[in-house]
Amino acid sequence: MLKRFFSYYKPYMGLFVLDFSCAVLAALLELSFPLAISKVMDDLLPNGDWEAIWFWGSLLLILYVISSTMHYVVTYFGHKLGINIETDMRNQLFSHVQRMSFRFFDKKKTGKLVSRMTNDLMDIGEIAHHGPEDLFIAVMTLTGAFGLMLSINWQLAVLTFIVVPFLIGLSVYFTKKMSAAFDKMFSSIGQFHSRVENNISGIRVVKAFGNESHEMDRFIEHNQQFRKTKLATYQMMAVHTAVSHFLMKSVTVFGLVCGAWFVLQKNMTYGEFVSFVLLTGIFLGPIQQINAVIEMYPKGAAGFKRFASLIDQSPDEKDADDAIEVDQLNGDIVFQNVSFQYESDKPVLHDINLEVKQGETIAIVGPSGAGKSTLCSLLPRFYEWQEGTITIDGIETRKMTLASLRRQIGVVQQDIYLFHGTIRENILYGKLDASDEEVWKALEKAQLKDFVNSLPKGMDTIIGERGMMLSGGQKQRISIARIFLKNPPIFILDEATSSLDTETESFIQASLEELAEGRTTFIIAHRLATIQHADRIVVLTKEGIKEQGRHEDLLKKDGLYRRLYETQFSK
């Protein structure tokens, strides 16, 4: 784990060396002050050598200017090192999450993923800066201060050092305790984020049902649990800090009393005594620094373990080693013996066989839960199927690169998602380098041109998070405009006109039919009136494909499609 952690330092070794060197130099300069005090008190002051005192004072001031500069470098560039490592990790984590399949997001809470990219990585960035540097400097300063204390009075130095093993043992003991506590605390933070994100995303449902007080009660419960977890963690940290503080102050008192006794016995001079007491403070400083690193370590280690565990999850969807880039597909699609299941004991699709010719419009209907949306989700490889093959133009989709495959497929999903931003930005998502002229054509085909022109800021109107400033029909039309702009050879329309009024639906149906001309189109629909024009209707159930054919032909059969049709149009 440590080897893996330190691999993130490689791009910034120059910054690390600068930070480390300045920290070492600052620590060495810190040891010069007690020696200067001893020199002034024992040699210069008794002789009344004012010029020499002035010289040594000026020299010491210059050393402090240099030391202050070193501290600036350590504080700024050290944190820059930590932030750079944190940023690289966040980029890597975000990129990794982008490659994960729908299956991954089905199981992960948004709040926990956000917590991994924010809180965890901030703690990792702190330990990346302070961990190695502070630990090395602390050991070096501890060794240097103890060496100088030995040179002044070795008996007193040895007596003072006796407490150090107790402090180190105490720190090791509390490190193990705090590591477990921080693991629990970060898990609680992830759950807390999920609770808040869930409430804010569903605030309209909360208000529609008048359940604000219920949500408040649930929030208070989670918040109290979060509070208890944090308090338990910081209580343990407080005990560690208090006991360590007492032991270190005991060392100072011990050095003061014993040093005074050595002075009275004429075994130390006054200058050596003051110098020794000052060195005791410097000697204890690194121990406090080590304690700070030890308190920081469990947080950073826990965060890095969670980061590593997430990075180590292999994406379900990834390019094969021999995957090819496809520039332009025609749209001849074959599902051969395809079976799929989300969980090992819950099959969704079983032994699906379906051939679709280029330019054919296929409508998929059937009862809820039959796997209509799932079947279409397999085509762009949003999910990976377990058995069978899917080919486009004779090429297995798993042998195409994901990016090039998905460029050939346009999807209007049942669950519409619009980003916070302008209408222009949301439509450009279909083709990022499109011109304004292309965007306006897409708006016109999606029956949005008059609406956008009526807005004071036109296409630059902010639509709010998830498009909350728009009606359901307007959101649906923006998602359809994206597909018009993308203009791919294969379409998947999952209830694409379900939120539209009858008049607008008829206009968009005409536009979709125009756009689908010569292109392979899959239409998933519950309203059978919208798919009667399809070249072929496929009736899907949990047992597989039951029927397929044109609307008129299926009505002549006494099958499932006819029963579905009669149910909808019985009045």
Side-chain angles (χ1 to χ4, degrees), residues 162-187:
I162 289 173
V163 77
V164 173
F166 292 102
L167 287 168
I168 293 173
L170 189 73
S171 294
V172 170
Y173 170 78
F174 276 101
T175 297
K176 293 179 181 178
K177 293 284 187 183
M178 286 191 292
S179 185
F182 276 116
D183 272 334
K184 189 175 180 181
M185 188 178 83
F186 281 124
S187 176

PDB file of all heavy atoms in Angstrom, residues 162-187:
ATOM      1  N   ILE A 162      14.167   8.823  28.872  1.00  0.00           N
ATOM      2  CA  ILE A 162      13.450   7.637  29.368  1.00  0.00           C
ATOM      3  C   ILE A 162      11.968   7.661  28.997  1.00  0.00           C
ATOM      4  O   ILE A 162      11.352   6.625  28.726  1.00  0.00           O
ATOM      5  CB  ILE A 162      13.614   7.510  30.903  1.00  0.00           C
ATOM      6  CG1 ILE A 162      15.058   7.110  31.222  1.00  0.00           C
ATOM      7  CG2 ILE A 162      12.647   6.489  31.482  1.00  0.00           C
ATOM      8  CD1 ILE A 162      15.393   7.117  32.693  1.00  0.00           C
ATOM      9  N   VAL A 163      11.365   8.854  28.957  1.00  0.00           N
ATOM     10  CA  VAL A 163       9.935   8.956  28.711  1.00  0.00           C
ATOM     11  C   VAL A 163       9.553   8.714  27.246  1.00  0.00           C
ATOM     12  O   VAL A 163       8.400   8.385  26.934  1.00  0.00           O
ATOM     13  CB  VAL A 163       9.417  10.343  29.158  1.00  0.00           C
ATOM     14  CG1 VAL A 163       9.782  11.417  28.142  1.00  0.00           C
ATOM     15  CG2 VAL A 163       7.903  10.322  29.354  1.00  0.00           C
ATOM     16  N   VAL A 164      10.524   8.827  26.322  1.00  0.00           N
ATOM     17  CA  VAL A 164      10.227   8.723  24.895  1.00  0.00           C
ATOM     18  C   VAL A 164       9.609   7.380  24.498  1.00  0.00           C
ATOM     19  O   VAL A 164       8.607   7.334  23.776  1.00  0.00           O
ATOM     20  CB  VAL A 164      11.488   9.027  24.051  1.00  0.00           C
ATOM     21  CG1 VAL A 164      11.240   8.747  22.564  1.00  0.00           C
ATOM     22  CG2 VAL A 164      11.907  10.476  24.253  1.00  0.00           C
ATOM     23  N   PRO A 165      10.152   6.229  24.943  1.00  0.00           N
ATOM     24  CA  PRO A 165       9.517   4.948  24.582  1.00  0.00           C
ATOM     25  C   PRO A 165       8.043   4.865  25.001  1.00  0.00           C
ATOM     26  O   PRO A 165       7.218   4.275  24.284  1.00  0.00           O
ATOM     27  CB  PRO A 165      10.355   3.907  25.320  1.00  0.00           C
ATOM     28  CG  PRO A 165      11.684   4.559  25.498  1.00  0.00           C
ATOM     29  CD  PRO A 165      11.387   6.009  25.706  1.00  0.00           C
ATOM     30  N   PHE A 166       7.718   5.462  26.172  1.00  0.00           N
ATOM     31  CA  PHE A 166       6.322   5.469  26.616  1.00  0.00           C
ATOM     32  C   PHE A 166       5.436   6.260  25.650  1.00  0.00           C
ATOM     33  O   PHE A 166       4.328   5.850  25.327  1.00  0.00           O
ATOM     34  CB  PHE A 166       6.211   6.053  28.030  1.00  0.00           C
ATOM     35  CG  PHE A 166       6.830   5.192  29.085  1.00  0.00           C
ATOM     36  CD1 PHE A 166       8.075   5.495  29.602  1.00  0.00           C
ATOM     37  CD2 PHE A 166       6.174   4.060  29.554  1.00  0.00           C
ATOM     38  CE1 PHE A 166       8.652   4.704  30.570  1.00  0.00           C
ATOM     39  CE2 PHE A 166       6.748   3.259  30.530  1.00  0.00           C
ATOM     40  CZ  PHE A 166       7.992   3.580  31.040  1.00  0.00           C
ATOM     41  N   LEU A 167       5.965   7.408  25.194  1.00  0.00           N
ATOM     42  CA  LEU A 167       5.208   8.238  24.252  1.00  0.00           C
ATOM     43  C   LEU A 167       4.996   7.524  22.920  1.00  0.00           C
ATOM     44  O   LEU A 167       3.907   7.560  22.339  1.00  0.00           O
ATOM     45  CB  LEU A 167       5.942   9.564  24.015  1.00  0.00           C
ATOM     46  CG  LEU A 167       5.911  10.577  25.163  1.00  0.00           C
ATOM     47  CD1 LEU A 167       6.910  11.697  24.912  1.00  0.00           C
ATOM     48  CD2 LEU A 167       4.518  11.149  25.331  1.00  0.00           C
ATOM     49  N   ILE A 168       6.041   6.840  22.425  1.00  0.00           N
ATOM     50  CA  ILE A 168       5.936   6.125  21.150  1.00  0.00           C
ATOM     51  C   ILE A 168       4.956   4.959  21.277  1.00  0.00           C
ATOM     52  O   ILE A 168       4.102   4.737  20.413  1.00  0.00           O
ATOM     53  CB  ILE A 168       7.329   5.635  20.692  1.00  0.00           C
ATOM     54  CG1 ILE A 168       8.219   6.835  20.348  1.00  0.00           C
ATOM     55  CG2 ILE A 168       7.197   4.695  19.491  1.00  0.00           C
ATOM     56  CD1 ILE A 168       9.653   6.485  20.043  1.00  0.00           C
ATOM     57  N   GLY A 169       5.052   4.209  22.368  1.00  0.00           N
ATOM     58  CA  GLY A 169       4.127   3.091  22.597  1.00  0.00           C
ATOM     59  C   GLY A 169       2.695   3.559  22.678  1.00  0.00           C
ATOM     60  O   GLY A 169       1.779   2.924  22.122  1.00  0.00           O
ATOM     61  N   LEU A 170       2.498   4.692  23.350  1.00  0.00           N
ATOM     62  CA  LEU A 170       1.162   5.274  23.473  1.00  0.00           C
ATOM     63  C   LEU A 170       0.610   5.651  22.098  1.00  0.00           C
ATOM     64  O   LEU A 170      -0.560   5.391  21.783  1.00  0.00           O
ATOM     65  CB  LEU A 170       1.230   6.513  24.372  1.00  0.00           C
ATOM     66  CG  LEU A 170      -0.092   7.150  24.797  1.00  0.00           C
ATOM     67  CD1 LEU A 170      -0.790   6.270  25.827  1.00  0.00           C
ATOM     68  CD2 LEU A 170       0.160   8.537  25.381  1.00  0.00           C
ATOM     69  N   SER A 171       1.467   6.249  21.264  1.00  0.00           N
ATOM     70  CA  SER A 171       1.039   6.665  19.932  1.00  0.00           C
ATOM     71  C   SER A 171       0.660   5.469  19.060  1.00  0.00           C
ATOM     72  O   SER A 171      -0.334   5.498  18.333  1.00  0.00           O
ATOM     73  CB  SER A 171       2.152   7.473  19.249  1.00  0.00           C
ATOM     74  OG  SER A 171       2.369   8.682  19.934  1.00  0.00           O
ATOM     75  N   VAL A 172       1.463   4.412  19.124  1.00  0.00           N
ATOM     76  CA  VAL A 172       1.180   3.207  18.335  1.00  0.00           C
ATOM     77  C   VAL A 172      -0.160   2.603  18.753  1.00  0.00           C
ATOM     78  O   VAL A 172      -0.970   2.190  17.922  1.00  0.00           O
ATOM     79  CB  VAL A 172       2.316   2.172  18.493  1.00  0.00           C
ATOM     80  CG1 VAL A 172       1.911   0.828  17.872  1.00  0.00           C
ATOM     81  CG2 VAL A 172       3.594   2.686  17.852  1.00  0.00           C
ATOM     82  N   TYR A 173      -0.403   2.552  20.078  1.00  0.00           N
ATOM     83  CA  TYR A 173      -1.653   1.990  20.600  1.00  0.00           C
ATOM     84  C   TYR A 173      -2.858   2.781  20.081  1.00  0.00           C
ATOM     85  O   TYR A 173      -3.836   2.205  19.597  1.00  0.00           O
ATOM     86  CB  TYR A 173      -1.623   2.010  22.131  1.00  0.00           C
ATOM     87  CG  TYR A 173      -2.947   1.681  22.773  1.00  0.00           C
ATOM     88  CD1 TYR A 173      -3.399   0.364  22.861  1.00  0.00           C
ATOM     89  CD2 TYR A 173      -3.757   2.696  23.290  1.00  0.00           C
ATOM     90  CE1 TYR A 173      -4.627   0.072  23.441  1.00  0.00           C
ATOM     91  CE2 TYR A 173      -4.982   2.406  23.880  1.00  0.00           C
ATOM     92  CZ  TYR A 173      -5.405   1.094  23.956  1.00  0.00           C
ATOM     93  OH  TYR A 173      -6.611   0.804  24.529  1.00  0.00           O
ATOM     94  N   PHE A 174      -2.770   4.116  20.178  1.00  0.00           N
ATOM     95  CA  PHE A 174      -3.898   4.946  19.754  1.00  0.00           C
ATOM     96  C   PHE A 174      -4.062   4.984  18.238  1.00  0.00           C
ATOM     97  O   PHE A 174      -5.162   5.212  17.735  1.00  0.00           O
ATOM     98  CB  PHE A 174      -3.755   6.357  20.316  1.00  0.00           C
ATOM     99  CG  PHE A 174      -4.268   6.499  21.717  1.00  0.00           C
ATOM    100  CD1 PHE A 174      -3.397   6.514  22.788  1.00  0.00           C
ATOM    101  CD2 PHE A 174      -5.625   6.593  21.970  1.00  0.00           C
ATOM    102  CE1 PHE A 174      -3.865   6.627  24.088  1.00  0.00           C
ATOM    103  CE2 PHE A 174      -6.107   6.705  23.259  1.00  0.00           C
ATOM    104  CZ  PHE A 174      -5.229   6.726  24.331  1.00  0.00           C
ATOM    105  N   THR A 175      -2.960   4.762  17.494  1.00  0.00           N
ATOM    106  CA  THR A 175      -3.064   4.725  16.036  1.00  0.00           C
ATOM    107  C   THR A 175      -3.992   3.609  15.588  1.00  0.00           C
ATOM    108  O   THR A 175      -4.854   3.796  14.719  1.00  0.00           O
ATOM    109  CB  THR A 175      -1.676   4.517  15.398  1.00  0.00           C
ATOM    110  OG1 THR A 175      -0.852   5.635  15.726  1.00  0.00           O
ATOM    111  CG2 THR A 175      -1.778   4.421  13.884  1.00  0.00           C
ATOM    112  N   LYS A 176      -3.834   2.435  16.188  1.00  0.00           N
ATOM    113  CA  LYS A 176      -4.694   1.300  15.834  1.00  0.00           C
ATOM    114  C   LYS A 176      -6.149   1.597  16.180  1.00  0.00           C
ATOM    115  O   LYS A 176      -7.060   1.310  15.402  1.00  0.00           O
ATOM    116  CB  LYS A 176      -4.224   0.051  16.581  1.00  0.00           C
ATOM    117  CG  LYS A 176      -2.856  -0.456  16.139  1.00  0.00           C
ATOM    118  CD  LYS A 176      -2.432  -1.677  16.938  1.00  0.00           C
ATOM    119  CE  LYS A 176      -1.060  -2.167  16.506  1.00  0.00           C
ATOM    120  NZ  LYS A 176      -0.615  -3.322  17.321  1.00  0.00           N
ATOM    121  N   LYS A 177      -6.367   2.194  17.336  1.00  0.00           N
ATOM    122  CA  LYS A 177      -7.733   2.512  17.763  1.00  0.00           C
ATOM    123  C   LYS A 177      -8.363   3.549  16.836  1.00  0.00           C
ATOM    124  O   LYS A 177      -9.522   3.422  16.425  1.00  0.00           O
ATOM    125  CB  LYS A 177      -7.718   3.055  19.204  1.00  0.00           C
ATOM    126  CG  LYS A 177      -7.316   2.028  20.261  1.00  0.00           C
ATOM    127  CD  LYS A 177      -8.462   1.080  20.539  1.00  0.00           C
ATOM    128  CE  LYS A 177      -8.154   0.147  21.698  1.00  0.00           C
ATOM    129  NZ  LYS A 177      -9.249  -0.821  21.923  1.00  0.00           N
ATOM    130  N   MET A 178      -7.596   4.587  16.514  1.00  0.00           N
ATOM    131  CA  MET A 178      -8.141   5.670  15.694  1.00  0.00           C
ATOM    132  C   MET A 178      -8.349   5.251  14.247  1.00  0.00           C
ATOM    133  O   MET A 178      -9.235   5.748  13.563  1.00  0.00           O
ATOM    134  CB  MET A 178      -7.236   6.902  15.772  1.00  0.00           C
ATOM    135  CG  MET A 178      -7.362   7.641  17.097  1.00  0.00           C
ATOM    136  SD  MET A 178      -6.560   9.259  17.089  1.00  0.00           S
ATOM    137  CE  MET A 178      -4.863   8.799  16.966  1.00  0.00           C
ATOM    138  N   SER A 179      -7.529   4.316  13.759  1.00  0.00           N
ATOM    139  CA  SER A 179      -7.698   3.829  12.388  1.00  0.00           C
ATOM    140  C   SER A 179      -9.073   3.198  12.208  1.00  0.00           C
ATOM    141  O   SER A 179      -9.786   3.487  11.234  1.00  0.00           O
ATOM    142  CB  SER A 179      -6.599   2.809  12.064  1.00  0.00           C
ATOM    143  OG  SER A 179      -6.684   2.421  10.723  1.00  0.00           O
ATOM    144  N   ALA A 180      -9.468   2.360  13.165  1.00  0.00           N
ATOM    145  CA  ALA A 180     -10.799   1.737  13.107  1.00  0.00           C
ATOM    146  C   ALA A 180     -11.896   2.785  13.252  1.00  0.00           C
ATOM    147  O   ALA A 180     -12.926   2.732  12.570  1.00  0.00           O
ATOM    148  CB  ALA A 180     -10.916   0.682  14.197  1.00  0.00           C
ATOM    149  N   ALA A 181     -11.663   3.777  14.146  1.00  0.00           N
ATOM    150  CA  ALA A 181     -12.666   4.823  14.378  1.00  0.00           C
ATOM    151  C   ALA A 181     -12.866   5.683  13.137  1.00  0.00           C
ATOM    152  O   ALA A 181     -13.999   6.032  12.781  1.00  0.00           O
ATOM    153  CB  ALA A 181     -12.240   5.692  15.554  1.00  0.00           C
ATOM    154  N   PHE A 182     -11.776   6.007  12.443  1.00  0.00           N
ATOM    155  CA  PHE A 182     -11.892   6.834  11.238  1.00  0.00           C
ATOM    156  C   PHE A 182     -12.539   6.067  10.094  1.00  0.00           C
ATOM    157  O   PHE A 182     -13.255   6.652   9.269  1.00  0.00           O
ATOM    158  CB  PHE A 182     -10.519   7.367  10.815  1.00  0.00           C
ATOM    159  CG  PHE A 182     -10.121   8.621  11.545  1.00  0.00           C
ATOM    160  CD1 PHE A 182      -9.019   8.632  12.389  1.00  0.00           C
ATOM    161  CD2 PHE A 182     -10.845   9.787  11.402  1.00  0.00           C
ATOM    162  CE1 PHE A 182      -8.659   9.777  13.072  1.00  0.00           C
ATOM    163  CE2 PHE A 182     -10.492  10.946  12.077  1.00  0.00           C
ATOM    164  CZ  PHE A 182      -9.389  10.936  12.921  1.00  0.00           C
ATOM    165  N   ASP A 183     -12.293   4.765  10.002  1.00  0.00           N
ATOM    166  CA  ASP A 183     -12.990   3.955   8.999  1.00  0.00           C
ATOM    167  C   ASP A 183     -14.497   4.072   9.189  1.00  0.00           C
ATOM    168  O   ASP A 183     -15.259   4.258   8.234  1.00  0.00           O
ATOM    169  CB  ASP A 183     -12.569   2.476   9.125  1.00  0.00           C
ATOM    170  CG  ASP A 183     -11.326   2.170   8.303  1.00  0.00           C
ATOM    171  OD1 ASP A 183     -11.089   2.875   7.311  1.00  0.00           O
ATOM    172  OD2 ASP A 183     -10.594   1.241   8.662  1.00  0.00           O
ATOM    173  N   LYS A 184     -14.922   3.943  10.447  1.00  0.00           N
ATOM    174  CA  LYS A 184     -16.350   4.026  10.765  1.00  0.00           C
ATOM    175  C   LYS A 184     -16.880   5.430  10.488  1.00  0.00           C
ATOM    176  O   LYS A 184     -17.984   5.603   9.971  1.00  0.00           O
ATOM    177  CB  LYS A 184     -16.553   3.654  12.238  1.00  0.00           C
ATOM    178  CG  LYS A 184     -18.010   3.497  12.635  1.00  0.00           C
ATOM    179  CD  LYS A 184     -18.133   3.011  14.072  1.00  0.00           C
ATOM    180  CE  LYS A 184     -19.598   2.863  14.464  1.00  0.00           C
ATOM    181  NZ  LYS A 184     -19.754   2.411  15.874  1.00  0.00           N
ATOM    182  N   MET A 185     -16.073   6.443  10.821  1.00  0.00           N
ATOM    183  CA  MET A 185     -16.517   7.821  10.627  1.00  0.00           C
ATOM    184  C   MET A 185     -16.702   8.142   9.147  1.00  0.00           C
ATOM    185  O   MET A 185     -17.687   8.759   8.749  1.00  0.00           O
ATOM    186  CB  MET A 185     -15.512   8.790  11.248  1.00  0.00           C
ATOM    187  CG  MET A 185     -15.995  10.245  11.252  1.00  0.00           C
ATOM    188  SD  MET A 185     -14.839  11.393  12.021  1.00  0.00           S
ATOM    189  CE  MET A 185     -13.721  11.716  10.681  1.00  0.00           C
ATOM    190  N   PHE A 186     -15.758   7.696   8.293  1.00  0.00           N
ATOM    191  CA  PHE A 186     -15.869   7.998   6.866  1.00  0.00           C
ATOM    192  C   PHE A 186     -17.037   7.263   6.226  1.00  0.00           C
ATOM    193  O   PHE A 186     -17.675   7.763   5.305  1.00  0.00           O
ATOM    194  CB  PHE A 186     -14.564   7.663   6.144  1.00  0.00           C
ATOM    195  CG  PHE A 186     -13.507   8.715   6.314  1.00  0.00           C
ATOM    196  CD1 PHE A 186     -12.263   8.404   6.826  1.00  0.00           C
ATOM    197  CD2 PHE A 186     -13.774  10.025   5.963  1.00  0.00           C
ATOM    198  CE1 PHE A 186     -11.306   9.377   6.985  1.00  0.00           C
ATOM    199  CE2 PHE A 186     -12.814  11.008   6.121  1.00  0.00           C
ATOM    200  CZ  PHE A 186     -11.569  10.684   6.638  1.00  0.00           C
ATOM    201  N   SER A 187     -17.310   6.050   6.712  1.00  0.00           N
ATOM    202  CA  SER A 187     -18.495   5.337   6.233  1.00  0.00           C
ATOM    203  C   SER A 187     -19.751   6.120   6.596  1.00  0.00           C
ATOM    204  O   SER A 187     -20.682   6.247   5.791  1.00  0.00           O
ATOM    205  CB  SER A 187     -18.539   3.940   6.856  1.00  0.00           C
ATOM    206  OG  SER A 187     -19.712   3.274   6.478  1.00  0.00           O
TER     207      SER A 187
END
